Amino acid sequence: MYLSVFISEMSQPQKIAFLIVILCSLNISAQYHFSGKVTKEYQDGNIYLSLVEDYRKISGVHPEQILNKTKADSTGIFTFQGDNLNTENRIYRIHIDNCTEEEQQTLHFTGHCLNSKEIVFVANNTTKLELPFGFENEMFCKVVSPNEKANTFLKIDSIKNDMRFAFGTYRSEANRKVNSKKWFNSLQSFGEQLNEPLAELYSYTFLSDRTSDLHSYYVEDLKSSNYYENLLNRLETTYPNSSYTKQYRAELAADKMLISPNENKRLPWWVYLVSGVALISILGNVYFSKQLKQSRHISEKKQPLSSQEQKVLDLILQDKSNKEIANELFVSVSTVKSHINNLYKKLDVKNRNAVKSLYQ
């Protein structure tokens, strides 16, 4: 009431100026703000903000997805902000690496960089979020945001980590099969409970991965469960025009076609065409998934190495002898042997040939 009286007493120029102030304040508030902190190891690296439109490329380094690039300040703090994101929730990734431009051309070719750290989250043009250090000062493992959907991917990752830990305790094949089915259902239902179709897609991508131990359960489940059609309905309702919905709709149709029983009827020509395209896509996914899994395996093996052990490893891969390594590092041969023994333990190998086979 007081505001309407106040406005009515204004002159026309004052009303226009007041309106401009209101509009500007609204525009300023409609901005995203992503901030975080990186460890000293990555403090000089480039930090990238990417929009993930293909949910099969949620993880990794894909130059075509990058929206912006920045660097951390002297304290390790970085910020991305602006008003150019989609008003609806989308999948975004922030990653950092210390690669040079020359290294990027080779290491990023398969979409994976061994020298990269990343975090994936849900956000929109008004999302404010922070990425503080987590347990033991680890970066990119915690999301703080008023947007309750922002950290749904991390919640699913926690379930996946519990699953991987539990798999390590399963000794018999029968026990693994029983618990695999249990974890399959747990991941699927947990994703649905988050009330965010994009989070369900994150679980679906993992469960339907043809290189995953759970893929056989996905194929069987697809034959009888209506979950997948319901997920499509939720996507079409929440994100009717998004690339995620179109991609999922096409994948679901292709997978259902592949598991359909043969009715001994001649199918239209376009069915064979679509099947051929789907088969090529499957083979491509399998090949690159194997490459990605191998790269991740090597990355996991390299992480525990000390800087000196890493130097020894690099020289071993160059076929240097113990004496040559000692001369290169200005240490004794006995010190080199000690580093090599520690290296073997961390990589779980017994000789140099085994070390080299990991990095071929």
Side-chain angles (χ1 to χ4, degrees):
M1 177 179 177
Y2 294 108
L3 180 60
S4 61
V5 173
F6 174 71
I7 294 175
S8 65
E9 293 178 351
M10 289 182 177
S11 64
Q12 189 67 19
Q14 288 175 326
K15 290 180 179 179
I16 294 174
F18 181 74
L19 180 59
I20 291 174
V21 171
I22 294 297
L23 291 176
C24 288
S25 64
L26 290 174
N27 185 52
I28 292 173
S29 65
Q31 291 186 342
Y32 68 90
H33 183 98
F34 308 150
S35 63
K37 190 174 183 180
V38 300
T39 57
K40 291 183 178 179
E41 177 186 1
Y42 289 94
Q43 196 161 328
D44 295 327
N46 291 319
I47 309 170
Y48 302 89
L49 171 65
S50 296
L51 168 62
V52 181
E53 295 185 293
D54 180 349
Y55 56 75
R56 292 293 177 185
K57 293 182 178 180
I58 285 181
S59 181
V61 178
H62 306 283
E64 72 277 7
Q65 298 177 345
I66 294 174
L67 295 175
N68 202 352
K69 180 176 75 171
T70 189
K71 281 183 173 290
D73 63 18
S74 59
T75 64
I77 301 295
F78 68 89
T79 300
F80 290 104
Q81 62 182 358
D83 60 357
N84 60 325
L85 301 188
N86 200 289
T87 56
E88 293 181 338
N89 279 342
R90 291 290 185 268
I91 302 172
Y92 294 93
R93 177 179 60 250
I94 289 178
H95 87 268
I96 183 171
D97 64 54
N98 293 324
C99 298
T100 64
E101 291 186 5
E102 292 76 14
E103 291 172 329
Q104 289 177 358
Q105 294 177 1
T106 55
L107 297 179
H108 296 181
F109 178 73
T110 59
H112 185 70
C113 176
L114 303 180
N115 189 27
S116 174
K117 294 288 185 181
E118 67 178 19
I119 187 168
V120 186
F121 53 88
V122 174
N124 58 53
N125 198 47
T126 62
T127 297
K128 308 291 189 296
L129 65 80
E130 296 180 12
L131 305 173
F133 283 168
F135 180 69
E136 294 186 347
N137 286 331
E138 293 184 5
M139 68 179 184
F140 294 174
C141 62
K142 186 177 181 181
V143 174
V144 178
S145 174
N147 184 348
E148 60 181 9
K149 306 297 178 63
N151 65 348
T152 51
F153 284 15
L154 286 183
K155 292 180 179 179
I156 292 174
D157 281 337
S158 68
I159 300 295
K160 289 162 62 176
N161 289 334
D162 290 343
M163 179 191 72
R164 293 188 180 100
F165 177 79
F167 273 178
T169 65
Y170 302 155
R171 300 303 179 187
S172 70
E173 184 63 22
N175 199 12
R176 284 181 62 87
K177 288 181 179 179
V178 170
N179 284 284
S180 292
K181 183 62 176 178
K182 182 196 76 172
W183 283 108
F184 180 93
N185 293 332
S186 296
L187 269 171
Q188 195 177 81
S189 60
F190 183 73
E192 187 174 1
Q193 292 169 12
L194 292 173
N195 194 30
E196 172 50 70
L198 298 185
E200 290 188 77
L201 275 184
Y202 188 46
S203 289
Y204 163 80
T205 303
F206 176 73
L207 298 175
S208 62
D209 182 358
R210 289 170 176 80
T211 65
S212 168
D213 294 334
L214 300 177
H215 181 257
S216 60
Y217 298 102
Y218 162 71
V219 173
E220 290 301 315
D221 199 46
L222 186 60
K223 294 177 181 178
S224 57
S225 174
N226 60 359
Y227 168 81
Y228 305 95
E229 288 293 341
N230 291 338
L231 173 55
L232 178 58
N233 291 334
R234 288 191 285 272
L235 283 167
E236 290 175 336
T237 300
T238 310
Y239 305 105
N241 300 314
S242 74
S243 60
Y244 313 122
T245 302
K246 296 174 183 177
Q247 181 181 357
Y248 178 76
R249 185 188 298 115
E251 279 195 11
L252 185 60
D255 285 349
K256 285 194 171 185
M257 187 189 318
L258 291 174
I259 65 174
S260 297
N262 184 8
E263 298 179 357
N264 296 320
K265 294 181 180 180
R266 186 172 180 80
L267 298 174
W269 65 268
W270 60 266
V271 174
Y272 296 102
L273 177 62
V274 172
S275 298
V277 173
L279 180 59
I280 293 173
S281 176
I282 291 170
L283 294 175
N285 283 339
V286 170
Y287 172 77
F288 286 111
S289 295
K290 287 182 179 179
Q291 294 294 320
L292 180 59
K293 183 178 268 188
Q294 183 179 11
S295 297
R296 284 177 174 167
H297 176 73
I298 294 174
S299 178
E300 291 170 357
K301 293 293 186 182
K302 290 180 68 175
Q303 288 174 359
L305 302 183
S306 67
S307 60
Q308 197 73 345
E309 290 165 352
Q310 181 62 55
K311 293 177 183 177
V312 172
L313 171 60
D314 293 338
L315 293 172
I316 288 176
L317 296 178
Q318 297 174 26
D319 292 325
K320 300 284 187 179
S321 67
N322 286 358
K323 185 175 181 180
E324 289 173 326
I325 294 174
N327 291 336
E328 189 89 16
L329 300 180
F330 302 103
V331 297
S332 65
V333 174
S334 61
T335 300
V336 171
K337 290 181 179 180
S338 177
H339 285 316
I340 291 176
N341 287 332
N342 291 335
L343 188 66
Y344 287 170
K345 291 179 182 178
K346 292 183 177 181
L347 296 182
D348 193 23
V349 297
K350 296 183 179 179
N351 52 53
R352 290 180 179 233
N353 289 334
V355 171
K356 294 175 182 177
S357 67
L358 285 177
Y359 296 85
Q360 289 178 347

